Amino acid sequence: MLEIKFVRQNLEAVEAALADRGQSADLTAFKAMDETHRGLLQESESLRHRRNVVSEEIARLKKAGRPAEALMEEMRAVAVRIKELEKAQSETQEALSAILMAVPNLPHPSVPKGRDSSDNPVAKTWGTPPAFDFTPQAHWEIGSGLNILDFERATRITGARFPLYFGAGAQLERALINFMLDLHTRAHGYREVLPPFMVNRASMTATGQLPKFEQDLFKLEQWDYFLIPTAEVPVTNIHRSEILEESALPICYTAYTPCFRSEAGSYGKDTRGLIRQHQFNKVELVKFCTPETSYAELESLLAQAEAVLVQLELPYRVVLLCTGDMGFAAAKTYDIEVWMPAQGVYREISSCSNFEDFQARRADIRFRRKGKKGTELVHTLNGSGLAVGRTLAAILENRQRPDGSVDIPPALRTYLGGMKEIRP
RNA sequence: GGAGAGAUGGCCGAGUAGGUCGAAGGCGCUCGCCUGCUAAGCGAGUAUACUCCGAAAGGGGUAUCCCGGGUUCGAAUCCCGGUCUCUCCGCCA
């Protein structure tokens, strides 16, 4: 969330930024509530002060064996008033935080203004889409032809939008996970973590999924736990409520997890194939760093995610999300989109964001500068490195051959016992 | 699931016949001094959040000893509820 002081002092700027995101922003309720709240705070604090002073006085009188009944009587009334104020205060506090928790992050100045994905400028294009002298098949057709993907049976086991891999398909998914983790840990200096796949409400709130987006999550019925929609949640929460040493930064983690999303509101979209599933695998990159380095870290994070596609020889492009297309918590986001030949479009395969201190404030993750007093909020970043199912889909489509077989990218072959291709 | 123990500052760890405890002591860290020889000595400082005053420097106030209630003029200390951790038993991949 945004700092309450900042919002108070920059109401118009915040409203304007929200408008850029395509949100109607009316913070007059916030302003009034904030003033009420601070008034209550001042009254109750001065009463508490009075109480603290008098309590000491009572202790002194009693020790000296002198009567204190009159003061105690006065304090009984003060205590009642303090209780009233506390109640009112907790109500205004709750109202204020409800408003603030629902306010998205402010876009970084370098983010272009725009309404939706059609306004996202392309920042970079890498590789050349393969030229086929036959009509390329969609990955679900290839997968079913090779008998490695089975969406029909997955539906029987669970329901729509769940994947079921067999044989070389399952192996390929696993190989991709290992390949990505190895690349990020060995070449990019990340530390591997394997976190819980369910998290509590506080963790979801810290990274921004809650309270606004509960309908996008899978929630356990008997527990106040949620299935993670991305490893960003458990991994960012590793350091919740901690004060880190500046010398420890940046902290870089990479994690493989399955991800669970209800995909509410996406009915009818991408109903076939691996593109939009309720459960999918992802290797995530997460960084904690100082504010002055976070934009450089965003660029390197992006490059590290791109490196996966470069090594797999999959053509892609990078787009910079405009203000209207960015996620709730992000200040700046690059999407990496891989080429999907069957549809002839680039599809998102990674999203790399700098959240600045938006998540850190919610999660209370700070650091201490060497030789300086006090603490500052860290900046957090994360990006997919990459979405595994979509990567597998891209390999199938980009490296398919007219006979229905698929050529395995050379970088991946050692992870598959030397397998060079998948044949029916 | 059953029984018991516990939760204090960056870390360790005192502190319960309720008051002068934001909290001893140690470690760590910062600054200064001393000394110089590899590892010590001395001194000072060292939680966080919110809020008010101030241009600022800085100063005032409040809260926080797991969380939420309660008792009381007053609670780290007493009572109730919850969460988490540890030990033992049970169950289990």
Side-chain angles (χ1 to χ4, degrees):
Chain A
M1 67 183 162
L2 304 177
E3 188 183 16
I4 189 164
K5 271 185 237 171
F6 179 85
V7 177
R8 184 185 299 147
Q9 288 160 14
N10 302 277
L11 266 189
E12 292 79 15
V14 172
E15 285 181 343
L18 297 190
D20 287 341
R21 276 178 167 271
Q23 300 218 341
S24 62
D26 183 9
L27 293 172
T28 51
F30 166 84
K31 191 171 185 222
M33 191 65 72
D34 182 49
E35 276 162 20
T36 307
H37 182 251
R38 281 187 296 157
L40 291 169
L41 203 62
Q42 279 177 49
E43 185 181 351
S44 76
E45 286 192 353
S46 72
L47 281 180
R48 281 167 206 268
H49 177 55
R50 171 79 183 144
R51 181 174 71 181
N52 288 344
V53 170
V54 173
S55 288
E56 272 180 47
E57 178 63 18
I58 290 171
R60 225 172 297 136
L61 289 173
K62 288 205 158 179
K63 217 167 216 173
R66 291 161 55 191
E69 191 47 48
L71 286 177
M72 284 165 67
E73 187 55 40
E74 181 198 340
M75 286 307 102
R76 268 189 275 273
V78 167
V80 169
R81 180 61 184 153
I82 288 175
K83 277 250 159 73
E84 290 171 6
L85 289 167
E86 272 175 358
K87 186 159 178 286
Q89 231 173 281
S90 77
E91 283 166 12
T92 53
Q93 177 65 60
E94 205 161 303
L96 277 177
S97 85
I99 294 172
L100 274 184
M101 290 298 253
V103 174
N105 204 354
L106 301 180
H108 186 264
S110 65
V111 172
K113 288 187 174 48
R115 294 181 59 178
D116 53 44
S117 58
S118 62
D119 293 326
N120 297 339
V122 175
K124 174 182 185 178
T125 303
W126 185 90
T128 314
F132 296 101
D133 52 12
F134 59 99
T135 305
Q137 293 184 289
H139 66 273
W140 57 86
E141 295 167 331
I142 302 165
S144 122
L146 294 170
N147 199 24
I148 59 173
L149 291 176
D150 190 336
F151 295 100
E152 288 74 21
R153 287 198 175 97
T155 303
R156 179 191 304 158
I157 299 168
T158 308
R161 295 189 188 274
F162 283 86
L164 175 62
Y165 299 85
F166 282 102
Q171 285 174 272
L172 183 54
E173 181 90 0
R174 178 159 56 88
L176 280 167
I177 293 166
N178 286 332
F179 164 73
M180 290 178 195
L181 287 171
D182 285 348
L183 177 65
H184 297 313
T185 54
R186 292 173 190 166
H188 300 154
Y190 285 75
R191 184 165 191 218
E192 184 172 344
V193 295
L194 184 58
F197 299 161
M198 296 179 205
V199 299
N200 57 33
R201 189 168 286 274
S203 292
M204 283 292 185
T205 305
T207 37
Q209 282 74 21
L210 292 179
K212 256 192 126 172
F213 305 103
E214 185 156 353
Q215 75 283 357
D216 296 336
L217 302 170
F218 283 108
K219 165 90 172 66
L220 300 200
E221 194 160 3
Q222 305 289 342
W223 300 63
D224 199 22
Y225 291 169
F226 300 83
L227 298 186
I228 57 171
T230 158
E232 161 194 350
V233 180
V235 175
T236 304
N237 276 281
I238 288 172
H239 294 297
R240 173 147 54 87
S241 297
E242 288 187 11
I243 298 173
L244 306 169
E245 289 301 325
E246 182 182 17
S247 59
L249 301 176
I251 295 172
C252 304
Y253 292 124
T254 183
Y256 152 72
T257 70
C259 303
F260 303 91
R261 299 186 182 177
S262 79
E263 297 295 348
S266 62
Y267 304 106
K269 279 186 204 165
D270 306 315
T271 48
R272 307 198 64 184
L274 287 170
I275 298 302
R276 195 176 299 276
Q277 299 277 299
H278 287 313
Q279 175 187 322
F280 61 95
N281 295 308
K282 182 155 60 68
V283 169
E284 186 76 357
L285 305 170
V286 176
K287 290 184 182 185
F288 303 80
C289 69
T290 59
E292 63 274 19
T293 58
S294 69
Y295 280 94
E297 294 289 351
L298 176 61
E299 297 300 321
S300 67
L301 180 70
L302 174 65
Q304 288 152 355
E306 286 179 53
V308 177
L309 290 170
V310 170
Q311 294 220 11
L312 294 176
E313 301 171 31
L314 293 170
Y316 68 90
R317 68 179 190 181
V318 177
V319 300
L320 174 58
L321 298 197
C322 70
T323 51
D325 199 31
M326 270 201 304
F328 177 75
K332 182 171 184 175
T333 300
Y334 291 108
D335 274 3
I336 304 175
E337 300 178 334
V338 69
W339 177 251
M340 297 298 281
Q343 291 172 289
V345 296
Y346 285 97
R347 294 302 302 253
E348 178 187 342
I349 197 166
S350 171
S351 193
C352 301
S353 302
N354 183 0
F355 302 93
E356 298 188 357
D357 62 14
F358 188 86
Q359 292 180 327
R361 183 169 296 105
R362 288 173 166 239
D364 187 26
I365 307 172
R366 291 166 291 160
F367 75 102
R368 208 186 297 280
R369 286 193 195 271
K370 205 176 294 178
K372 279 205 172 174
K373 280 191 64 146
T375 57
E376 290 176 50
L377 294 166
V378 301
H379 279 195
T380 61
L381 302 90
N382 67 55
S384 347
L386 309 162
V388 180
R390 290 186 179 184
T391 306
L392 186 145
I395 288 172
L396 295 186
E397 291 198 10
N398 281 280
R399 303 184 74 88
Q400 62 181 299
R401 294 190 289 227
D403 63 357
S405 66
V406 170
D407 178 50
I408 292 173
L412 219 47
R413 292 176 186 170
T414 55
Y415 287 87
L416 287 161
M419 195 191 297
K420 292 190 172 65
E421 58 179 9
I422 305 177
R423 294 200 153 273

